[in-house]
């Protein structure tokens, strides 16, 4: 196996013409020896010395930052959030003062133990803050490194949890999955995604990522026909159905749009009105429910757009009955044989696939399934599909600059 230094694996520098499998195995071994191997040395020293008194400044406002702030509790001291555009308005972010870049530098001069968490989503913003902190000697961690350093998994949303322990315990299973992939790029993508989750360094993702417009219909793994029938699980605001319409130039047969969020339902009804009186209208049906393994009613967080999800049973007593949604099986919703099943259902993918097992077995549709909401999904979803239809080829693509939109393809 090719040899690597810890610095080369964490920084993604000096790797040479490296073998992705060897790099993954070496990184997994580093994690098993020391899960904090990827945390910058200066940050580790401050955390070991100051513990829960460690001063923290968040860089940028984002979903990731909000999750970190909510999960931190008493494990550190949140001082401020940096956002130059909002700071001058005197705003706060989840009860924490917003400051400017200059404000951060002044704070760091007063207390050199300040640790920053770069929770930006866009690559441009991440690099801006990375450069700022490096040039001024301020310890900086990515969101993933910070979540691990402060041991936040027990309080984090499962969609942004640390995957390290799952990867470390299943190295051989990931190796077998890579061998099972239908093309070399899928195997390289798998190792890139795993490298990111082990190191917290987005360079591992960016080295294999494809642009967001390639999600689902432009993966390069299969072509579309003029008679596709798509089950759109997690239809959201209709972007997947619109993308199918665009990719086929309107030449498709059907889309079952399935969505439980009442705010998104309003948007999908607008979409249906947009197509009223056209040939497309007869091809679309809207189903207001969630998808799962069994018929049920469950508490749901209605947020609109992306991110709404089924709530854990532990939070059910606090959820009004009006916020509950019906759960149905895909097998009971579709009234024809689909050629595509798309699933982006915020961590309920495996249960939803179990509720679609009959359709998958009988119709053998192409499957496009989000594999990034739970740390176990990249292994659990292919393992289940193999029990239903073991002759599928498996592909993997990553479609964003951050940890979202790692998608499994079965074709």
């Amino acid at each position: 196996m090719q040899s690597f230094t810890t610095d080369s694996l964490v920084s993604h520098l000096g790797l040479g013409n490296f073998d992705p499998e060897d790099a993954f195995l070496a990184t997994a071994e580093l994690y098993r020896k020391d899960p904090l191997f990827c945390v910058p040395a200066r940050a580790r020293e401050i955390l070991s010395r100051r513990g829960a008194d460690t001063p923290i400044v968040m860089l940028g406002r984002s979903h990731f930052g909000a999750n970190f702030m909510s999960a931190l509790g008493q494990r550190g001291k949140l001082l401020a959030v940096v956002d130059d555009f909002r700071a001058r308005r005197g705003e706060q972010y989840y009860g924490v003062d917003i400051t400017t870049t200059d404000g951060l530098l002044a704070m760091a001069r007063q207390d050199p133990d300040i640790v920053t968490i770069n929770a930006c989503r866009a690559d441009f913003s991440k690099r801006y803050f990375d450069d700022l902190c490096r040039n001024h000697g301020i310890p900086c961690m990515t969101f993933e490194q910070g979540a691990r350093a402060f041991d936040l998994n027990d309080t984090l949303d499962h969609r942004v949890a640390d995957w390290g322990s799952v990867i470390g315990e299943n190295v051989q299973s990931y190796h077998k999955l890579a061998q099972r992939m239908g093309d070399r790029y899928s195997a390289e993508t798998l190792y890139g995604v795993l490298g990111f989750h082990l190191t917290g360094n987005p360079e591992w993702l960016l080295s294999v990522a494809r642009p967001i417009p390639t999600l689902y219909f432009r993966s390069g793994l299969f072509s579309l026909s003029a008679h596709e029938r798509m089950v759109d699980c997690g239809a959201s605001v209709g972007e997947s159905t619109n993308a199918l319409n665009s990719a086929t130039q309107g030449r498709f047969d059907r889309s079952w749009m399935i969505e439980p969020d009442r705010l998104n339902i309003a948007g999908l009804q607008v979409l249906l009105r947009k197509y009223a009186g056209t040939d497309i209208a007869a091809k679309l049906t809207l189903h207001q429910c969630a998808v799962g393994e069994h018929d049920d009613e469950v508490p749901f967080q209605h947020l609109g757009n992306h991110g709404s999800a089924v709530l854990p049973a532990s939070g059910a007593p606090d959820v009004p009955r009006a916020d509950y949604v019906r759960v149905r099986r895909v097998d009971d919703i579709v009234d024809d044989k689909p050629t595509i099943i798309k699933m982006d259902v915020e961590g309920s993918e495996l249960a939803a696939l179990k509720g679609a097992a009959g359709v998958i077995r009988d119709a053998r549709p192409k499957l496009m399934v989000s594999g990034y909401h739970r740390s176990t999904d990249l292994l659990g979803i292919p393992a289940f599909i193999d029990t239903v239809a073991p002759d599928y080829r498996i592909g993997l693509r990553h479609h964003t600059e951050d940890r979202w939109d790692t998608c499994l393809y079965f074709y």
Side-chain angles (χ1 to χ4, degrees):
M1 187 175 78
Q2 187 175 350
S3 62
F4 304 91
T5 66
T6 300
D7 178 70
S8 68
L9 292 170
V10 174
S11 67
H12 204 265
L13 294 171
L15 294 168
N17 187 20
F18 72 96
D19 180 87
E21 178 185 343
D22 285 350
F24 163 64
L25 294 174
T27 309
E29 183 61 24
L30 287 174
Y31 176 84
R32 283 196 294 253
K33 290 179 179 178
D34 176 14
L36 299 183
F37 78 98
C38 60
V39 177
R42 173 64 176 150
R44 289 187 67 167
E45 185 276 324
I46 294 171
L47 265 67
S48 66
R49 176 165 44 84
R50 297 194 59 168
D53 191 48
T54 299
I56 302 166
V57 173
M58 303 298 302
L59 304 177
R61 298 175 306 110
S62 71
H63 174 82
F64 298 127
N67 269 273
F68 186 95
M69 294 163 65
S70 176
L72 183 65
Q74 302 301 312
R75 301 176 194 187
K77 293 175 59 179
L78 276 170
L79 302 183
V81 176
V82 180
D83 184 328
D84 288 292
F85 299 102
R86 299 269 182 169
R88 292 176 178 85
R89 303 179 190 176
E91 295 183 24
Q92 289 190 324
Y93 189 60
Y94 289 92
V96 178
D97 290 340
I98 298 178
T99 189
T100 62
T101 296
D102 289 339
L104 167 64
L105 297 179
M107 294 167 67
R109 285 192 293 270
Q110 292 179 352
D111 187 351
D113 281 352
I114 282 178
V115 171
T116 59
I117 305 295
N118 190 342
C120 295
R121 289 198 60 187
D123 181 59
F124 175 84
S125 302
K126 290 177 187 175
R127 292 180 186 278
Y128 169 79
F129 283 123
D130 283 347
D131 291 345
L132 175 76
C133 291
R134 182 175 60 255
N135 293 337
H136 291 273
I138 302 171
C140 181
M141 291 183 276
T142 64
F143 167 82
E144 287 74 19
Q145 292 167 349
R148 187 177 301 172
F150 287 93
D151 192 22
L152 302 186
N153 253 21
D154 60 338
T155 50
L156 276 175
D157 186 309
H158 65 265
R159 291 169 289 186
V160 292
D162 178 15
W163 289 22
S165 61
V166 171
I167 297 172
E169 294 167 3
N170 293 280
V171 170
Q172 291 307 312
S173 295
Y174 286 110
H175 175 60
K176 290 179 181 178
L177 177 60
Q179 294 178 315
R180 176 80 169 75
M181 292 292 179
D183 66 302
R184 181 178 178 181
Y185 188 55
S186 289
E188 292 178 358
T189 299
L190 175 63
Y191 288 132
V193 169
L194 297 175
F196 160 73
H197 282 288
L198 285 169
T199 65
N201 184 352
E203 290 297 330
W204 287 101
L205 285 182
L206 294 170
S207 67
V208 296
R210 291 168 62 88
I212 189 63
T214 65
L215 180 63
Y216 302 138
F217 305 112
R218 298 182 178 92
S219 67
L221 293 166
F222 50 78
S223 61
L224 300 175
S225 76
H227 297 284
E228 301 290 356
R229 297 180 297 278
M230 180 176 71
V231 183
D232 187 0
C233 301
S236 187
V237 292
E239 62 267 49
S240 297
T241 291
N242 281 331
L244 175 65
N245 184 35
S246 176
T248 62
Q249 300 178 26
R251 290 180 289 175
F252 69 98
D253 287 351
R254 186 76 183 273
S255 178
W256 294 266
M257 298 187 297
I258 306 173
E259 173 61 39
D261 188 316
R262 59 172 172 259
L263 301 177
N264 287 340
I265 290 293
L268 291 171
Q269 289 168 338
V270 171
L271 176 67
L272 292 176
R273 290 196 293 273
K274 167 188 169 182
Y275 288 120
T278 72
D279 292 339
I280 300 296
K283 303 178 181 183
L284 307 179
T285 55
L286 177 57
H287 308 266
Q288 187 170 356
C289 61
V291 284
E293 184 176 4
H294 308 289
D295 285 357
D296 201 355
E297 286 191 358
V298 296
F300 194 83
Q301 188 177 33
H302 299 261
L303 298 176
N305 211 325
H306 305 290
S308 53
V310 173
L311 291 167
S314 60
D318 300 322
V319 179
R321 289 300 303 180
D323 286 347
Y324 275 59
V325 298
R326 183 184 179 188
V327 178
R328 297 185 65 195
R329 302 188 316 148
V330 169
D331 285 348
D332 296 330
I333 294 174
V334 299
D335 52 2
D336 196 356
K337 288 187 175 183
T339 63
I340 297 172
I341 296 178
K342 165 252 169 177
M343 285 189 177
D344 184 355
V345 289
E346 303 302 318
S348 296
E349 284 80 7
L350 185 54
L353 287 166
K354 291 178 179 178
V359 168
I360 295 170
R361 187 179 296 110
D362 295 341
R364 300 298 176 96
K366 297 178 283 289
L367 307 176
M368 309 181 299
V369 185
S370 294
Y372 61 94
H373 292 125
R374 293 188 183 275
S375 58
T376 54
D377 277 348
L378 286 182
L379 292 177
I381 290 172
F384 172 72
I385 295 300
D386 274 347
T387 68
V388 177
D391 57 343
Y392 271 113
R393 298 180 72 190
I394 303 176
L396 188 72
R397 297 290 186 264
H398 184 81
H399 298 278
T400 62
E401 298 176 351
D402 56 40
R403 65 188 286 162
W404 296 152
D405 291 302
T406 302
C407 190
L408 284 159
Y409 295 87
F410 301 84
Y411 57 103

